[in-house]
Amino acid sequence: MSVEMSECVPKVCLPAELIAAGPAILPSLLLCDFANLGEEIARVEQAGAAALHLDVMDGHFVPNLSYGLPLVDACKKASRLPLDVHLMIANPEKYIEAYVEAGADMVTIHLEAAADPGPLLQRIRAAGAAAALAINPPTPVSALDPFLSGCDMVLVMSVMPGFGGQAFDPAALEKLRYLRDKTAGQLPLEVDGGIGPDTAERVAEAGAQLLVAGSAIFKQADYASSIQQLKQLATTN
Ligand code: DX5
Ligand code: ZN
């Protein structure tokens, strides 16, 4: 069964930059230099980033704490790029509208954190952002099936969320292929965790169009060449 993208109201689908032809590289700010946030954002903007990926962690759903609403708000003021907010938090239902109000253009909630994801995806869209569901490596991909028609994007985690710099789990490739085939390539697929020069080509071949990268960008001296290299590797014909 294919997802009916025509049901998608334009304002709540993905930002145009992200569905243009070719792969999109989204720097994960988790690993940036926060003492120079504005400068880091300007650097990745100039380097060809398609959007900023913001990892919100609560110390409950994941064993790490990162940042929350004030940082999303600061990024909105500092950047013209779409903000892709990845909520790794328990009880996401408490915060959806607040993150959209703070500037999120896309809000991703975890399937594992939501008792009933369908209405939450609807609330994200109603608030004016694109709605996405994420799954962790141990979660079977078929658990997403009932919710695909309510998603503007699906995020396949290729590491257990919580920390940057972890090794890519190749089980993500099978999940991406499953989702690409299930949705006839119509639902944008994002992958997050361990994405770099060794994995970009494989995830793109498996169907990922949005590649999140933390260490493969922020641990490198030249952001532009890192992003361009990932983009090139992910460009499949
Ligand atoms: C992991 C986060 C990722 C992470 C990516 O919990 O969701 O976005 O920061 O970092 P790398 O690319 O270093 O795996
Ligand atoms: Zn993330």
Side-chain angles (χ1 to χ4, degrees), residues 28 30-31 53 55 57 86 88 157 159-166 192-195 212-216:
S28 158
L30 194 59
L31 296 168
H53 181 85
D55 288 304
M57 303 180 183
H86 178 190
M88 286 163 276
M157 290 304 299
V159 297
M160 271 309 276
F163 301 92
Q166 303 183 74
D192 182 8
I195 301 303
V212 175
S215 23

Side-chain angles (χ1 to χ4, degrees), residues 33-219:
D33 174 6
F34 284 103
N36 293 295
L37 181 62
E39 200 179 303
E40 291 280 68
I41 289 173
R43 284 182 71 191
V44 292
E45 277 187 357
Q46 284 157 19
L52 301 177
H53 181 85
L54 303 180
D55 288 304
V56 176
M57 303 180 183
D58 68 351
H60 293 280
F61 180 69
V62 289
N64 195 11
L65 273 171
S66 58
Y67 46 73
L69 291 163
L71 192 108
V72 175
D73 184 59
C75 289
K76 195 67 188 175
K77 289 178 179 136
S79 181
R80 56 175 174 78
L81 292 176
L83 302 185
D84 174 30
V85 175
H86 178 190
L87 294 180
M88 286 163 276
I89 61 173
N91 306 118
E93 68 281 357
K94 291 188 184 168
Y95 301 101
I96 284 171
E97 286 78 13
Y99 276 97
V100 178
E101 207 166 304
D105 297 284
M106 302 138 80
V107 174
T108 300
I109 56 171
H110 269 261
L111 183 63
E112 301 85 358
D116 188 8
L120 300 189
L121 294 167
Q122 282 175 14
R123 273 175 53 193
I124 296 170
R125 284 178 166 178
L133 266 182
I135 48 165
N136 284 339
T139 304
V141 65
S142 58
L144 288 167
D145 289 354
F147 309 110
L148 292 176
S149 62
C151 291
D152 297 309
M153 179 181 83
V154 163
L155 166 56
V156 174
M157 290 304 299
S158 38
V159 297
M160 271 309 276
F163 301 92
Q166 303 183 74
F168 176 79
D169 180 344
L173 297 172
E174 199 47 51
K175 291 180 177 177
L176 289 167
R177 286 189 206 104
Y178 173 94
L179 291 166
R180 179 191 55 195
D181 295 348
K182 183 98 187 162
T183 63
Q186 295 301 298
L187 183 63
L189 303 178
E190 181 176 57
V191 64
D192 182 8
I195 301 303
D198 296 338
T199 51
E201 194 172 352
R202 280 186 286 158
V203 294
E205 271 168 9
Q209 297 114 301
L210 297 97
L211 281 65
V212 175
S215 23
I217 296 170
F218 290 106
K219 299 284 181 203

